[in-house]
Each structure stands twice: as structure tokens, then as C-alpha cells.
Amino acid sequence: GEDVEQSLFLSVREGDSSVINCTYTDSSSTYLYWYKQEPGAGLQLLTYIFSNMDMKQDQRLTVLLNKKDKHLSLRIADTQTGDSAIYFCALGGSSASKIIFGSGTRLSIRP
Amino acid sequence: KAGVTQTPRYLIKTRGQQVTLSCSPISGHRSVSWYQQTPGQGLQFLFEYFSETQRNKGNFPGRFSGRQFSNSRSEMNVSTLELGDSALYLCASSLEQVRGYGYTFGSGTRLTVV
């Protein structure tokens, strides 16, 4: 089956950029997502990228997709304390069916 | 526009009991999916419904079941609860025609089995 891997923790200084990485095994996914989960809350869709794109920028967020290496990353510029959360990489197919999630990366911000 | 609403938010049940969780999708969304989130296993897909039909099912025992009503609201049921069923159960809805926008999740129901 498909496997999606992320590192468990990332600590960055407030104001710096955060880069959260994700690797996957199945390259047939059409959509690649980044979700954010704050404590006690559900998942919030941050951004997504189609598999035929290499990059997508949305305000402070930049998503990079390297299909050859099966690597997806999320860069958060000017990281703020409100960015503290767990970030999930997820892959979806061409139909509205199940999404495969990574294990999540807990981002902590230090002053 | 209201988001995905899950009720109840918290639930405590005793081992062996059964439980029903409810999910009201965003108005106009016809696809509803359920996920189980635990610290050990992460987010695992339970099932997906579209127009009252189950389209996909994850690798869970038959004690886990669900259904979708004509108004797209969905319920999931867990019978004969086990301690390992303690988890955050998340529901997500999506527009069938706009798959690229992904799924909108509710805040979840936290189930504790004692």
C-alpha cells in the first residue's frame, strides 16, 4: 500500500522559515495536500498541489513537489507562534475517495 | 457558511457498549468520509459515503459501521466497544465535483472507552 512519511518534530525560531518535509511511495496520486491540526481541533486544509505542478505559493506558504524523488515540502515564511500545530502531508487519488495521511510533524516555535 | 459539524464533541463509554457518532457535512457536500485518529496509528480511513452509498471502506472490523442519509448527514456506529477504540473520530465532507479542494474536516468526536 501507499506509504507517506514525515519527521515527527520540528522546532524553529519565531520569524524564521519552517520547512516540513514529506516523502511518499506511490506516485499515482493526483492531489497532494497539507493539513494543519491545532490542539483539540480537526484538520484544516492549508493548501494543495496537483501532481502536474512543481510549486505553489500562497501568501506565507510555499509547496514544492519533486516527483522524481517523491518528495513534498511545505515552507512557512516568517513563522509565528500561531503556526504551532501538527502538520499532515496527505495524498489523494483522482476520485473523491480515501486520503492517505502521513504521521504528522509537530511544529514548535521558540522565541 | 457552516462548517462540518460533529456531535457529540466528547463521549465516555464503557467497554462492551455501543456508540453512534453524527456528522453533518457542509451544505451541498455529498461526500462524507470518516477517519480514526490515535497517537499510535495516526489517521486511518474508516469509510466514505456518497449519495447514501458506501464507496470505500478501510481495514476495520465489522464492529465499525456507518450510513448516510438522504440529506447527506452521516452516522457511524461502533458496537461492542473495546479499550482500543478510544480515539478522535473525524468526519470530512467534500464536493464530488471539486476534488482538488480536498476535504473539510469537522472538529471531531473524542471517544474514551473505559
Side-chain angles (χ1 to χ4, degrees), chain A residues 1-108:
Chain A
E2 187 156 351
D3 194 26
V4 181
E5 294 196 357
Q6 301 178 239
S7 53
L8 291 180
F9 302 99
L10 177 66
S11 176
V12 299
R13 188 169 298 155
E14 188 175 2
D16 287 352
S17 290
S18 307
V19 179
I20 302 170
N21 295 300
C22 170
T23 58
Y24 55 94
T25 55
D26 187 348
S27 57
S28 66
S29 297
T30 306
Y31 306 97
L32 300 97
Y33 307 100
W34 283 102
Y35 283 89
K36 175 184 180 183
Q37 186 177 37
E38 295 181 85
L43 277 74
Q44 173 195 354
L45 177 65
L46 283 178
T47 186
Y48 65 94
I49 190 170
F50 294 110
S51 58
N52 61 359
M53 297 168 64
D54 296 324
M55 186 186 87
K56 180 179 180 181
Q57 188 151 2
D58 185 0
Q59 299 181 352
R60 292 192 298 126
L61 305 177
T62 302
V63 178
L64 293 177
L65 175 60
N66 182 327
K67 289 183 285 293
K68 175 176 170 291
D69 295 338
K70 299 181 183 177
H71 181 267
L72 182 73
S73 68
L74 173 70
R75 177 177 179 270
I76 305 173
D78 187 25
T79 309
Q80 303 297 308
T81 54
D83 295 323
S84 292
I86 301 176
Y87 290 81
F88 291 91
C89 162
L91 277 60
S94 57
S95 64
S97 59
K98 61 182 177 179
I99 298 176
I100 306 298
F101 286 88
S103 53
T105 298
R106 184 179 296 274
L107 175 64
S108 62

Side-chain angles (χ1 to χ4, degrees), chain B residues 52-109:
Chain B
E52 302 178 65
T53 300
Q54 187 181 90
R55 298 208 306 186
N56 263 301
K57 190 177 192 305
N59 189 23
F60 278 81
R63 300 185 296 108
F64 291 81
S65 63
R67 59 179 176 168
Q68 186 180 33
F69 301 94
S70 58
N71 61 358
S72 294
R73 190 177 72 84
S74 177
E75 288 182 347
M76 67 163 280
N77 184 277
V78 187
S79 62
T80 319
L81 283 165
E82 300 177 1
L83 296 178
D85 297 333
S86 294
L88 179 67
Y89 289 88
L90 292 166
C91 162
S93 74
S94 72
L95 274 174
E96 172 69 4
Q97 295 85 352
V98 196
R99 295 182 286 273
Y101 289 175
Y103 288 74
T104 302
F105 281 81
S107 298
T109 294

